């Protein structure tokens, strides 16, 4: 077994125009001051990292890594959540998702998708240049609007959608494989890969591609009423990344999983700051240690109530206190009688 690395923090929810959140150096200094050891970098803001330059220039990649290291931190992984979403978009969402792409690609779904695919390919090479081994993204969605369908889905629609999803992603997975990087899908409502079954459907379509891995985030499973502990038992060999995010689900006589179109504060299912929700993190960290998870425990702060800076400050200590420093020997070794094969055979009456 090995001890999980951390605490890390995903910077996407903290990026902003005001200090210390307006550039990579100052936000790293801020994160270090809170007790974090690593930062997960979003790649949609060139003020933090230019993903194309990081892919094409080892010198630039070294400069980015140097800024983070000078603050006493490591880069845990890169993220292309927003770009990955654009690899597969149903036309119903075209206008909403146009905001995820540069202005020159808006109102042009084909050009937008091509840009997104290239961004993922840059991310593979950039990750290699930065000395990383895993990367996180979204799958995108071609049929999410049919998740609870009425009228019923036409026969074969799901298979057609997943065949197309795999067709779009398999070449990207191959690029990640060429660069030695695991591509981790964050299993998330709004994406076609939103639970274990949909991930398995996709995995079959990409021929069990060894780079089609997972980011584990229990908060999304609490909101789906999915067993987030058994999920680790089932998929631990594919889990290469870990977002530590809390949530709660409190159904009433008026609303449940779907939330009644309410804002986050008024939904039955809400994301919460670490320790304020219902996730059993002691059990999660125990399972991750037992399965020899070798990655980072990274805070993703999202909360309907608490201020983000309070959530970040509390989150560093929360993760630190949950990381299990794994033992290097069994607790009852002191009582060992020793032995060898001959001794064992005598004990069994075989000699």
């Amino acid at each position: 077994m090995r001890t999980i690395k951390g605490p890390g923090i995903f910077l996407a929810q903290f990026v902003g125009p005001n200090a210390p959140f307006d550039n990579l150096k100052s936000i790293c200094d801020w994160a270090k001051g809170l007790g974090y050891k690593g930062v997960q970098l979003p790649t949609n803001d060139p003020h933090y990292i230019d993903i194309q330059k990081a892919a094409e220039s080892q010198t630039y990649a070294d400069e980015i890594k140097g800024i983070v290291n000078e603050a006493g931190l490591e880069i845990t992984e890169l993220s292309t959540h927003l770009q990955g979403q654009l690899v597969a978009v149903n036309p119903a969402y075209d206008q909403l998702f146009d905001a995820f792409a540069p202005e020159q690609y808006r109102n042009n779904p084909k050009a937008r998708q091509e840009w997104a695919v290239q961004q993922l390919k840059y991310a593979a090479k950039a990750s290699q240049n930065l000395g990383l081994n895993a990367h996180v993204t979204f799958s995108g969605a071609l049929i999410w609007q049919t998740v609870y369908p009425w009228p019923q889905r036409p026969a074969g629609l799901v298979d057609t959608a997943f065949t197309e999803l795999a067709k779009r992603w398999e070449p990207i997975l191959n690029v990640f494989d060429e660069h030695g990087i695991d591509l981790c899908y964050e299993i998330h409502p709004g994406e076609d890969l939103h639970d274990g079954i949909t991930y398995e459907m996709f995995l079959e379509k990409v021929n069990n591609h060894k780079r089609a891995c997972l980011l584990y985030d229990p908060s999304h499973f609490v909101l789906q009423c999915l067993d987030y502990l058994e999920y680790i038992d089932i998929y631990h060999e594919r889990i290469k990344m870990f977002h530590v995010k809390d949530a709660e689900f409190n159904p009433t006589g008026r609303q449940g999983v779907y939330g009644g179109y309410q804002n986050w504060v008024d939904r039955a299912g809400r994301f919460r700051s670490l320790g304020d929700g219902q996730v059993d993190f002691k059990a999660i960290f125990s399972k991750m240690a037992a399965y020899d998870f070798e990655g980072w425990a990274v805070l993703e702060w999202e909360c309907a109530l608490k201020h983000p800076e309070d959530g970040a400050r509390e989150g560093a200590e929360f993760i630190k206190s949950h990381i299990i420093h794994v033992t290097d020997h069994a607790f009852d070794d002191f009582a060992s009688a020793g032995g060898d094969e001959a001794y064992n055979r005598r004990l069994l009456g075989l000699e």
Side-chain angles (χ1 to χ4, degrees):
M1 296 186 297
R2 73 195 80 197
T3 299
I4 296 173
K5 293 179 284 189
I9 183 170
F10 185 29
L11 296 180
Q13 283 80 10
F14 298 93
V15 172
N18 300 318
F21 309 111
D22 56 346
N23 66 81
L24 183 59
K25 182 183 184 305
S26 61
I27 201 170
C28 284
D29 290 338
W30 167 79
K32 178 64 175 179
L34 295 179
Y36 289 99
K37 297 181 179 181
V39 287
Q40 189 176 96
L41 300 183
T43 61
N44 58 299
D45 188 336
H47 290 97
Y48 281 76
I49 181 172
D50 184 318
I51 195 67
Q52 181 176 352
K53 286 181 66 176
E56 295 176 345
S57 169
Q58 184 65 59
T59 299
Y60 175 77
D62 290 343
E63 289 173 357
I64 292 295
K65 188 175 181 180
I67 292 171
V68 176
N69 291 164
E70 285 173 12
L73 301 170
E74 295 181 50
I75 301 173
T76 66
E77 302 95 2
L78 302 180
S79 149
T80 52
H81 284 87
L82 301 190
Q83 300 99 312
Q85 180 76 63
L86 301 182
V87 171
V89 177
N90 185 281
Y93 299 103
D94 268 336
Q95 292 188 48
L96 290 172
F97 284 140
D98 260 353
F100 289 2
E103 190 170 354
Q104 64 265 35
Y105 301 111
R106 297 173 187 175
N107 300 310
N108 189 337
K110 184 176 184 294
R112 184 186 61 200
Q113 180 191 343
E114 291 172 351
W115 171 82
V117 169
Q118 184 59 63
Q119 286 280 294
L120 266 295
K121 292 178 179 179
Y122 287 145
K125 179 59 177 174
S127 294
Q128 182 187 48
N129 286 346
L130 290 165
L132 307 176
N133 55 29
H135 178 83
V136 59
T137 195
F138 279 151
S139 69
L142 296 175
I143 55 167
W144 172 253
Q145 75 282 1
T146 74
V147 69
Y148 197 80
W150 180 254
Q152 62 182 279
R153 287 185 291 257
L157 182 69
V158 172
D159 188 70
T160 299
F162 274 79
T163 298
E164 177 63 26
L165 194 67
K167 179 182 176 182
R168 297 186 187 191
W169 276 106
E170 193 161 13
I172 300 171
L173 287 163
N174 290 339
V175 172
F176 274 83
D177 190 33
E178 290 169 10
H179 295 296
I181 310 296
D182 291 323
L183 182 55
C184 302
Y185 294 97
E186 180 167 358
I187 305 302
H188 192 293
E191 311 302 315
D192 281 342
L193 305 191
H194 61 270
D195 60 11
I197 293 294
T198 51
Y199 171 65
E200 291 175 14
M201 291 163 58
F202 176 75
L203 200 58
E204 181 180 4
K205 292 288 188 181
V206 294
N207 300 305
N208 293 304
H209 201 293
K210 68 179 182 179
R211 297 298 180 181
C213 295
L214 295 167
L215 176 144
Y216 176 72
D217 183 337
S219 68
H220 302 300
F221 301 147
V222 169
L223 271 55
Q224 295 183 67
C225 303
L226 184 153
D227 187 333
Y228 57 83
L229 295 177
E230 186 182 21
Y231 182 97
I232 300 174
D233 294 329
I234 298 169
Y235 302 112
H236 61 90
E237 293 180 349
R238 291 277 183 169
I239 294 172
K240 306 296 183 179
M241 293 178 61
F242 176 20
H243 271 177
V244 189
K245 190 170 75 172
D246 213 340
E248 62 184 355
F249 182 63
N250 298 302
T252 70
R254 290 187 170 89
Q255 62 159 302
V257 171
Y258 299 107
Y261 296 119
Q262 300 304 292
N263 59 34
W264 276 111
V265 171
D266 297 323
R267 295 185 196 181
R270 308 188 295 189
F271 297 130
R272 299 298 308 276
S273 286
L274 291 183
D276 294 343
Q278 298 167 348
V279 176
D280 185 352
F281 284 107
K282 287 186 177 180
I284 288 173
F285 275 86
S286 294
K287 281 187 178 290
M288 297 295 253
Y291 284 123
D292 203 22
F293 175 69
E294 58 183 294
W296 285 81
V298 176
L299 167 76
E300 183 182 20
W301 175 87
E302 290 181 346
C303 185
L305 300 174
K306 185 169 286 183
H307 192 280
E309 292 183 51
D310 291 336
R313 184 184 65 254
E314 295 169 5
E317 184 58 36
F318 185 93
I319 293 174
K320 182 179 178 181
S321 69
H322 279 78
I323 290 176
I324 297 171
H325 182 200
V326 298
T327 182
D328 57 3
H329 62 275
F331 62 85
D332 54 359
D333 278 355
F334 76 95
S336 173
D340 53 28
E341 178 66 13
Y343 180 71
N344 292 340
R345 290 182 66 81
R346 286 198 302 275
L347 285 178
L348 295 171
L350 302 177
E351 291 184 358

